[in-house]
């Protein structure tokens, strides 16, 4: 009987860790859904009594719509990476929980940063603030990945390419946002190209990693 009692706590502890990870995932999904809702609510509503007037008003607000699309894709990319990762997370620790909360804070700030980005005047300041917010979100997510890996919170059978592939994608995003800040001062709105080209750069880095076996092996380690 004593042996049975000794074996039960580890099972209970593992189950509690799994439930905690699942609850954090649900909470994160809810916060992301709220962030996307706030993002949509900030879309400018074109006004006009005629077709031409309505189209003119919509064209005038084109920067607001562009900012919405960019933010939707950024938040969606974060959600996809988080969803992919936490499918294999079996537990939490205090540091991972705190990092996740900070990361969610960045996503909640994104609708405000989006509204600021589409405002008038002081383009470089508005652009830099948005880019810095998104770069911070990427850095926090990479730290979450490292914490999961460092503390052995991934279940057995996790695909070995999951960690390096996700790190590559998020790192490329962070670099694109970071580089775009000085580009905005030198080239103005052409700095948007840094964000537009980021997905293509991420795929190129991934394809290069597939062909470079030694590098891929080092990333997995």
């Amino acid at each position: 009987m004593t042996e049975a009692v000794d074996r039960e706590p580890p099972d209970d502890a593992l189950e509690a860790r799994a439930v905690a990870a699942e609850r954090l995932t649900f909470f994160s999904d809810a916060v992301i859904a709220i962030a996307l809702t706030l993002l949509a609510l900030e879309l400018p509503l074109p006004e006009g009594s005629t077709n031409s007037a309505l189209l003119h008003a919509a064209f005038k607000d084109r920067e607001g719509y562009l900012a919405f699309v960019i933010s939707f894709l950024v938040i969606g990319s974060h959600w996809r990476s988080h969803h992919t990762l936490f499918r294999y997370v079996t537990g939490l620790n205090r540091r991972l929980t705190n990092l996740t909360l900070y990361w969610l804070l960045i996503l909640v700030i994104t609708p405000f940063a989006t509204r600021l980005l589409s405002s008038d005047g002081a383009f470089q300041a508005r652009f830099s603030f948005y880019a810095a917010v998104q770069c911070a979100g990427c850095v926090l997510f990479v730290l979450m990945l490292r914490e999961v890996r460092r503390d052995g919170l991934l279940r057995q059978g996790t695909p070995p390419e999951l960690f390096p592939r996700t790190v590559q994608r998020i790192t490329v995003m962070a670099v694109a946002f970071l580089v775009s800040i000085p580009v905005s001062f030198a080239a103005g709105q052409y700095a948007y190209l840094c964000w537009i080209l980021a997905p293509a750069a991420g795929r190129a880095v991934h394809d290069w990693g597939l062909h470079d076996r030694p590098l891929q092996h080092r990333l997995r380690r």
Side-chain angles (χ1 to χ4, degrees):
M1 179 177 296
T2 303
E3 293 181 357
V5 172
D6 291 339
R7 286 196 299 268
E8 286 178 2
D11 293 337
D12 293 341
L14 289 175
E15 182 178 356
R17 283 161 55 95
V19 169
E22 186 177 9
R23 290 183 62 185
L24 183 61
T25 301
F26 289 153
F27 176 73
S28 300
D29 288 345
V31 172
I32 292 174
I34 293 172
L36 290 174
T37 301
L38 293 175
L39 192 64
L41 290 175
E42 295 298 333
L43 279 172
L45 183 65
E47 298 179 356
S49 57
T50 64
N51 292 334
S52 60
L54 185 66
L55 292 175
H56 177 75
F59 181 77
K60 185 178 179 181
D61 292 327
R62 62 189 181 279
E63 290 189 5
Y65 300 133
L66 175 61
F68 167 80
V69 171
I70 292 173
S71 295
F72 183 88
L73 293 176
V74 169
I75 294 177
S77 179
H78 275 287
W79 175 83
R80 183 180 64 176
S81 298
H82 184 269
H83 177 71
T84 301
L85 172 68
F86 271 75
R87 289 172 56 191
Y88 302 99
V89 173
T90 59
L92 300 174
N93 59 29
R94 183 185 298 273
R95 182 175 174 81
L96 178 59
T97 301
N98 290 337
L99 287 172
T100 301
L101 291 176
Y102 298 146
W103 171 73
L104 289 173
L105 174 62
I106 293 296
L107 298 187
V108 172
I109 291 175
T110 295
F112 166 76
T114 304
R115 187 167 69 252
L116 184 64
L117 180 64
S118 58
S119 301
D120 297 326
F123 170 76
Q124 285 79 8
R126 294 184 287 106
F127 185 93
S128 298
F129 175 78
Y130 185 94
V133 167
Q134 301 309 326
C135 185
C138 293
V139 171
L140 285 169
F141 197 86
V142 171
L143 292 176
M144 289 163 57
L145 287 168
R146 292 185 60 185
E147 186 63 24
V148 167
R149 189 69 176 268
R150 184 188 67 83
D151 211 21
L153 301 177
L154 292 173
R155 70 179 60 175
Q156 293 183 352
T158 300
E161 70 276 6
L162 172 67
F163 185 81
R165 180 184 299 174
T166 306
V167 169
Q168 286 175 359
R169 183 169 61 249
I170 299 297
T171 300
V172 168
M173 286 178 56
V175 171
F177 283 116
L178 185 62
V179 170
S180 69
I181 295 177
V183 173
S184 69
F185 286 90
Q189 295 189 358
Y190 285 103
Y192 281 115
L193 290 175
C194 296
W195 303 353
I196 296 173
L197 296 176
R203 286 193 295 270
V205 170
H206 174 62
D207 293 340
W208 176 69
L210 289 178
H211 292 292
D212 193 342
R213 298 295 181 178
L215 174 60
Q216 189 180 36
H217 177 70
R218 288 196 299 271
L219 288 172
R220 284 203 298 264
R221 294 181 61 187

